[in-house]
Structures are given as C-alpha cells and as structure tokens.
Amino acid sequence: MNSGNKITINDVAKAAGVSKGTVDRVLHNRGEVSERSREKILHVIEELGYTPNFYASILASRKNFNISCIIPEFNNGEFWALTEKGIDSGREYAGRFGIGVSAVMYDQYDIDSFQSACESVLASEPSGVVIAPMFRNETLKFAKELTEMDVPYVYIDSKLEEDGYLAYYGMPMYQSGYLCADILTDGRPVDKIHVIRIERDKRGLSDPTITRRTGFLDYIAEHYPDCKVENTFLDPKDKASRYRVLDGLFAGDPEPVKYIVMCNSRVHFVADYLRDRNIRTCRVVGFDVLERNLSALREGFVQALIAQHSDKQAAAAITAITDYLIMHTVPSKKDNYTQMDILNRYNCDYYL
Amino acid sequence: MNSGNKITINDVAKAAGVSKGTVDRVLHNRGEVSERSREKILHVIEELGYTPNFYASILASRKNFNISCIIPEFNNGEFWALTEKGIDSGREYAGRFGIGVSAVMYDQYDIDSFQSACESVLASEPSGVVIAPMFRNETLKFAKELTEMDVPYVYIDSKLEEDGYLAYYGMPMYQSGYLCADILTDGRPVDKIHVIRIERDKRGLSDPTITRRTGFLDYIAEHYPDCKVENTFLDPKDKASRYRVLDGLFAGDPEPVKYIVMCNSRVHFVADYLRDRNIRTCRVVGFDVLERNLSALREGFVQALIAQHSDKQAAAAITAITDYLIMHTVPSKKDNYTQMDILNRYNCDYYL
DNA sequence: CTGAAAGCGCTAACAA
DNA sequence: TTGTTAGCGCTTTCAG
C-alpha cells in the first residue's frame, strides 16, 4: 500500500535474473511464464518485500475504468438526494485515479424502469457498479450477470441474501426501528402510539421499511405489551387528503393523540400538518435528515430524528470499488452497518 | 482534480509556443519566466482546461514529505487512543502518496514535555503538522514558528484564536454541554444535579472541558433556574478515595442522588462505583466512547454518552495536509465541527 | 517463453 | 529567461 518503499520492479527483475517484462507478467498473472521463473520471481518478491507503486502503474496503463451507480430517482430534498451527494464525493475520489463515475436512476415504483436501468448499465460495460436494490428478483438476476462478466458490485442501502457482492454499506433496519421506539417512548410506559404510514398504491410493491417497523413493534411489545398501536395511512401525493385523514385522527380519537411515529423519511407530512393546525402536544419521531424534517425538528414539531449518513454509504461504496480496481484491495469488512444517529434540536445543526 | 482528462503539459506547451519546462515553471511559480510567457501560458491553461496529473507529478518528483502529529500520551482505552487510531488511518492515506506520518506524544500535565515535543518536531523539519493543543502560549509560539518555516498545520480537538492554521477539526464544546444537559434531564424539570469533576492537582492547569461545563450549566439555568447543581471532585489516580467521596455523596445528601453528569471522558469512574454498590436509581450521562464507558452504557449504569468521532478528526487532519501537499488544495471549510452523537444502549453497538 | 524498448505526464537538472 | 534531456516505476508492444 505504502509507496514510500524503495524497491522497484527493476530490483526484483535483477535479483531474479530476468527482465522486468517477465516480472510484470507474473505480477498480473498473464501466463506465458515458465514455472521456474515464476517461482523464482515470487520468491524474490517475498524476500525483498516488494510492493508495486500503483501511481506508476496507473500512469503507464492508460486503462479506462468507469463505475456506474444505480439508485432510485428523486426530487430535490428527498432521501436519495443525499445519496447522490455521496456519489459526487465518491466521484471526486475515483476521479483522482482517472475513473469516471456515472449515476443511472430508476423509478422505484416501476420494475420495468429498474430493469432497463440494469440493462443500460450492463451495456456500458462498467468496471464496477454500486446498486441500491428495490426489486429482489431482478437484482438477483442482475447480480448474476455482473458476476459472470466479472465486474465487482457493491450494495448500498439494502442488500440481498446472495453473496457475490464486494461489500455492503447500509443501516441496520431492524435495530433502527427498535431504537426509534426507545426514543419515542423515552423509556417510559405509553398507552397508545400512532404509526403513520404511506399508502403504497401501485402493484402492491413491497414496503422497504417493513423491517424497521418490525423492530419498532417488537420493542413496544417487549416493553409495553399493553400499549395500543394504531396504523394510519397517508397519500404521499395528496395533501388535502392527508389533512383530512389527520383531522379525522385528531378529532375522532377518544383519547388525545400523543405519540406519533413514521418509519420512513416523510415525517414532514405530519409536521406540516401539526404546524398548520398549531398542535404542539405530540411527541413525534421520524427518520432521515431531509431539509423539511430538519426544519420541523428545529421548530419543535418533531422531537427526534433517527438518521444515517447515507451520503457516506455511497461514497464508501465507490471508494471500495476504486480501491479494488486500482490496488486490488478488498474492503476489510464486507458488511458495513452505518451508525444510527439520534438527532434533536440541540445537535442537528452540527450534522452533515 | 480529475486526471481523466487528456490534455497534458505538452499540449499546453505546444499551444503556448514554449517548452514544457517553462510551463512547469509557471505551474509552480518558480519564477524565472517572462511576463509574456507566463500570461500566454496561463491563458492557454485556462482555455484548454488543463489540470495537472499529479500521479505523474508524484512519480517524477521524488520528494520526501512527512507529517508529524502532536497529541497527549495516553494509556490503553483512554480518550486519545481513538485519536491514534485516526492517525493510523490517516497514515494509510498519506502512505499512498509516499508521505510518512509520525506521532509524538506529550504529557498533558507537563508544559515542558509539550515544549520539547514541539522542538523535536521542529527539528525534524516536517512538511506539515497536526496538533492537539493543551497549552495556549506555547502553542501560539509553536504556530508562529511553523508559519515562519512555511509548514502547514492543522488543529484537532481544540484550536486557538490565531488563524494561521490550515484547518481545524473538533467538537463544538459549548454546544456539547448544552446538549448533554438536555439528554440528562430528558427535557423535564429536575431538582438537583450532581456534576462530578476531576481533581486537577498539578500547577492549576486549565480544565479542557470548562467550555462544555459552561454550556451544560447555561442550559440548566435557562430551563430550570431552580435546579441545584452540586460539584464533587474525584481523584483520577485513587480509586479508594473516589469510593469514599461517592459514598459520602450518596449517604450524606438529604435528598437521593438522582442525576449525575461528567463533562469529561471519565464517567466510567462513576459507573464502576454504581456497579460495585449495585445502585441503579441514577440517571448518568457522560462523554466519549471509551471501552469502559461503553460497557457501563450496555449494562445500564450510564444512560447516555455524548460522543464524537475523534478518530475521524485526526484522519481528516492528515488527509487535509496530504491533499495540500500533493495537490495544493485547501480544505473547503477551515473550521470543521464534528457532529455530536447521542449514544444509548440501542445504538452504541453500531458506533465506530 | 522472454527481453528490449518505447512511452505514460511530469520534474529537475543542465545548458544555452 | 528558456529549451533540452534524463529519468520516476510501470505497462505494453514487438521481436525473437
């Protein structure tokens, strides 16, 4: 790794009594070397403690690596925007090695768009890919093709159960729900909790936060078995409808609404409502540092946010592939679980 | 930054009608170039969008950069151990560019040792230094000398009011105390809080956590003006004495001890006592992720820890200097305040 | 199967 | 003040 050492490929060649061309051949396993030479060279390398200077290597081999990132498309201020920032900083790192990084987006509610994203990436013959998977079977198929083409890939956000990937960077979803419940209840008994969810209209797509919600519910069941949990569904595209539903919730419930949680990044839907109705009597907890969530946190309409550095995940993914491509190193850990950050009004301004 | 571009110093030379030697001269401001050529070259560089390939640059100039880090010495498991880990990962990064990184430690209770650390670093003619300052005047003097020698330096942990430094990476101390108070009180009125402190015996050395304690007290005064705050001092080197003092605290106080805070990293002193006496009725909050603090957190003798990635600070410092040395970039932000992490038993295992 | 040689883009003498 | 030249350590033809 350290290029500060002095012994070069020339030293090795000399010591082994061959030319550097031959040394290079064994270094890169491109055959055509007699067993005798190979062994001799390997031995000398070992003995001298030779490590290649990959700056010289990069310079000499004008290869053209490129990394593709496949993530859901998004609007400004949404969850995946942060991931894209991470891609940007990953791109800067990779760029230093002359490696290009491109992002291709898909509609997370549309399998076809995911498939065509994968196809177009495959067609571009990437040197490596990072992928935030949403569709299980399609991803599995894609992963298999990548493996066959011998291109390394790393998962971010979530991963599948196959294990051909180079690395994974994501949040421990179950634990994040568990933690969230502790933060919401403040470790004290609670009578009733309202879980606000998003209507997933199209084609019964799987809910990516189901594992998190399970963690949340498990905590409640374990600590406060008597606590009631009520689900309420909001339409992400229809503000008026959301207000109607929430009005119903606040008016209709015999006991006042006190504890509210959302297991996805849209807690600002609730915060907006509370702000407009000037309701400050709820304890509200949600996830992720969208700008709108942060505002709600600062203004006191949300008490806490569980956050993760999803930008770092993307950046780490790109770094991992870059290092793999350039210096053939694999990440020290294959599965990397991001820390879960607890944000409140007093520490949120120092986040990001 | 991106070396993927194709235009080289040769292209520039050709387009400007000079030789690459001359281009190199203006690139590195090493004079001896006519105003005419300089302007022409600068213009061409602009026009072509030339950016240097610093791998070639590194390769060609076999410079011998080295970075020195000056931090307090420590025992296993103490606060500064984490910083050293960060130095290690910074060393890995710098090593890729053939830059060596060395750490020199000083006794944070001994000015002389700090001075001699500085002197020895100065004598080694470092290319850059990162420093965790503990002694104001001596650091100021040191900084001045570095500036004169034209060697870049970055502060970690805390910084001084002068501004010759390249960057600073540290925690917002005041805010961390403020946050801590919020966590300790859980946002609810409290009658009395015990602030446990460390006896600073020698020479009345300044307490590095005083700013943090101020933040803590300000929060309490602002939110709960009637809350009593009592200071208790512990001897870091004498366990028996600590137990005596704490026994006195728990026995002597008319009202039961309920809220305990320590503004430094030694909350494990309190936790050890509580564990031994099997006291589980206190809410205890402290700072930093020492292994002993984490155990206490897991076992429930400490309810929360405010933490920072001090390893990242050191690593970032080294990265900043490396990038400055190699590609002449300055950090995008000069003062970098680390995020403050709130740890409890449910998220601490995913930290670090 | 192997060696020789020509670069990769840049730096740093050394001449001029 | 400037051009020329010899490398830095490695990759990659191209001959043998």
Side-chain angles (χ1 to χ4, degrees), chain A residues 204-228:
Chain A
L205 291 169
S206 67
D207 183 344
T209 59
I210 187 166
T211 312
R212 174 179 288 162
R213 210 168 51 246
T214 305
F216 180 90
L217 294 174
D218 283 359
Y219 177 101
I220 299 299
E222 284 167 26
H223 291 72
Y224 315 115
D226 296 333
C227 179
K228 278 166 282 176

Side-chain angles (χ1 to χ4, degrees), chain B residues 17-200:
Chain B
V18 296
S19 77
K20 44 185 199 158
T22 306
V23 175
D24 188 66
R25 273 171 205 115
V26 348
L27 244 27
H28 298 78
N29 296 308
R30 31 182 166 72
E32 319 300 289
V33 177
S34 72
E35 201 45 44
R36 238 175 81 68
S37 307
R38 137 172 261 91
E39 266 167 25
K40 177 89 190 174
I41 290 169
L42 253 20
H43 183 248
V44 169
I45 284 177
E46 179 72 26
E47 195 156 14
L48 266 48
Y50 165 79
T51 61
N53 175 331
F54 50 72
Y55 293 101
S57 166
I58 283 176
L59 192 59
S61 79
R62 31 213 169 279
K63 284 197 194 123
N64 228 42
F65 289 136
N66 68 301
I67 297 173
S68 294
C69 306
I70 308 179
I71 64 169
E73 57 195 13
F74 56 89
N75 295 311
N76 241 327
E78 288 184 345
F79 176 80
W80 293 100
L82 190 54
T83 301
E84 196 189 38
K85 275 202 182 175
I87 292 181
D88 288 341
S89 68
R91 178 179 294 117
E92 200 200 310
Y93 181 78
R96 298 178 176 183
F97 299 91
I99 298 179
V101 175
S102 61
V104 357
M105 322 276 196
Y106 64 92
D107 179 348
Q108 58 177 308
Y109 304 107
D110 178 4
I111 286 206
D112 294 337
S113 96
F114 179 72
Q115 281 182 312
S116 66
C118 291
E119 272 161 31
S120 88
V121 164
L122 240 29
S124 74
E125 302 194 348
S127 323
V129 357
V130 1
I131 182 167
M134 284 284 173
F135 303 97
R136 199 177 156 283
N137 291 333
E138 289 63 31
T139 305
L140 244 26
K141 182 163 151 270
F142 182 55
K144 205 172 148 222
E145 293 179 287
L146 289 175
T147 304
E148 271 164 19
M149 293 171 65
D150 207 40
V151 357
Y153 59 96
V154 356
Y155 288 120
I156 56 173
D157 195 59
S158 61
K159 60 165 176 154
L160 299 185
E161 65 282 12
E162 58 98 16
D163 72 345
Y165 57 98
L166 179 64
Y168 162 67
Y169 298 89
M171 191 191 232
M173 292 300 273
Y174 180 90
Q175 279 296 332
S176 73
Y178 206 89
L179 170 65
C180 176
D182 186 70
I183 301 293
L184 180 69
T185 62
D186 241 350
R188 261 178 290 262
V190 160
D191 285 338
K192 178 164 189 177
I193 293 172
H194 288 271
V195 176
I196 313 292
R197 299 167 62 177
I198 294 292
E199 266 174 25
R200 299 238 147 204

